[in-house]
Amino acid sequence: GQNIDQPTEMTATEGAIVQINCTYQTSGFNGLFWYQQHAGEAPTFLSYNVLDGLEEKGRFSSFLSRSKGYSYLLLKELQMKDSASYLCAVRREDDSWGKLQFGAGTQVVVTP
Amino acid sequence: DAGVTQSPTHLIKTRGQQVTLRCSPKSGHDTVSWYQQALGQGPQFIFQYYEEEERQRGNFPDRFSGHQFPNYSSELNVNALLLGDSALYLCASSLGNSGRRGGQETQYFGPGTRLLVL
C-alpha cells in the first residue's frame, strides 16, 4: 500500500514564501510529481523529482529525499493567482506504466 | 497544439443509469489514463489505455470500463450508476514508451467532466 500525506490548508501573504510538505510511504519508488489545481479546473504539471535534491523552476522549487520519503514544494514571491490546491503524486516502481497515487492536496490561500 | 479535451463538461444522471465520457489526448500522445476525483480529495486512478488495450487498472469495480480508439481517443463507461459515483472525472494523456517501463511520462490533464448522480 501507499500513504501520501500533505497538510490540508496553508495561508500566506502575497510576496511571501510557502513550503508545502509531502511525506509518502511506498514499497517502491519511481518518481514524485507536483501538480497545481485551481478550483473547478484540471491539475497542471509543476515539477518532477526522481533523484534526491532540489529542482528549481522560476518561482517554484521542488525537493526530494528518497531515504526519508519526503518532498516539498516551495513557492516564492507569492502572487494572488497562486491560490490553488497543490497535489503531491507518487509513482511506485511497479507502476511505471504511469499510474499516479495522489495525496488529498494542500489548499494554499494567498492573502493581500 | 491542442491540449487534452474532454466531453461533456457536465452531466446529470440518476441512479442505475449508464454514462459514457470522452477524451481526446494531447497531440502526439498515445496513452490515456482516467482518474476519479471526489470533492476535496486527490484524483484516484481508474485505469490506463495504451495501444487500444487496458494496460493497468486501479481499485474500481467492473462497472467502470473503457475503450481506446485507433486515433488514441478514449471513452470511460460507467454502468449502474451509484450516488457515490458523483465526482470529477479526469482524463490524462502521456507518451507511452512502447512497452518499456520507467521514464518520466508526465501526464497532462484535461478539464474534466463533472458527473452528478441523483
Side-chain angles (χ1 to χ4, degrees):
Chain A
Q2 185 160 294
N3 295 321
I4 301 172
D5 293 312
Q6 48 182 133
T8 304
E9 185 172 315
M10 302 181 73
T11 301
T13 308
E14 196 174 10
I17 298 173
V18 69
Q19 177 175 313
I20 307 168
N21 296 324
C22 172
T23 58
Y24 62 89
Q25 298 171 2
T26 180
S27 53
F29 176 82
N30 194 29
L32 185 143
F33 296 77
W34 284 96
Y35 284 84
Q36 178 193 60
Q37 187 176 27
H38 286 99
E41 297 183 12
T44 56
F45 169 74
L46 291 178
S47 69
Y48 168 74
N49 295 71
V50 68
L51 300 176
D52 289 352
L54 187 68
E55 294 282 342
E56 296 187 84
K57 273 189 182 181
R59 295 189 299 114
F60 293 0
S61 303
S62 57
F63 171 83
L64 175 69
S65 169
R66 289 174 298 171
S67 62
K68 296 181 180 178
Y70 167 70
S71 173
Y72 69 72
L73 179 70
L74 194 69
L75 284 61
K76 294 178 278 191
E77 301 169 18
L78 278 173
Q79 302 175 9
M80 297 300 291
K81 67 178 182 179
D82 297 330
S83 291
S85 179
Y86 290 84
L87 299 163
C88 171
V90 172
R91 186 165 62 209
R92 290 179 53 202
E93 196 170 34
D94 291 342
D95 293 332
S96 296
W97 299 121
K99 171 185 175 181
L100 296 178
Q101 301 266 10
F102 282 87
T106 298
Q107 186 66 43
V108 170
V109 178
V110 181
T111 59
Chain B
D1 180 19
V4 182
T5 60
Q6 291 187 244
S7 64
T9 55
H10 295 80
L11 206 49
I12 300 175
K13 293 285 188 178
T14 56
R15 279 182 302 175
Q17 285 190 309
Q18 179 265 343
V19 68
T20 297
L21 311 180
R22 296 176 177 83
C23 170
S24 290
K26 182 179 168 67
S27 178
H29 284 180
D30 57 7
T31 302
V32 173
S33 302
W34 286 93
Y35 291 82
Q36 179 195 67
Q37 186 176 25
L39 201 59
Q41 299 297 316
Q44 298 293 312
F45 178 81
I46 303 175
F47 42 53
Q48 182 184 82
Y49 277 85
Y50 173 71
E51 292 188 342
E52 302 180 49
E53 291 191 358
E54 184 183 289
R55 183 159 71 172
Q56 193 172 18
R57 189 178 182 93
N59 295 324
F60 279 79
D62 292 344
R63 298 187 297 110
F64 290 76
S65 63
H67 188 79
Q68 185 178 34
F69 299 93
N71 67 352
Y72 308 120
S73 66
S74 176
E75 288 183 349
L76 164 66
N77 301 291
V78 187
N79 295 322
L81 283 167
L82 303 174
L83 297 180
D85 295 331
S86 294
L88 179 67
Y89 287 85
L90 294 164
C91 165
S93 79
S94 56
L95 186 61
N97 282 332
S98 300
R100 179 177 68 84
R101 285 177 178 258
Q104 180 176 341
E105 293 183 6
T106 298
Q107 296 183 12
Y108 295 89
F109 286 85
T113 294
R114 189 161 296 281
L115 173 65
L116 178 60
V117 182
L118 301 176

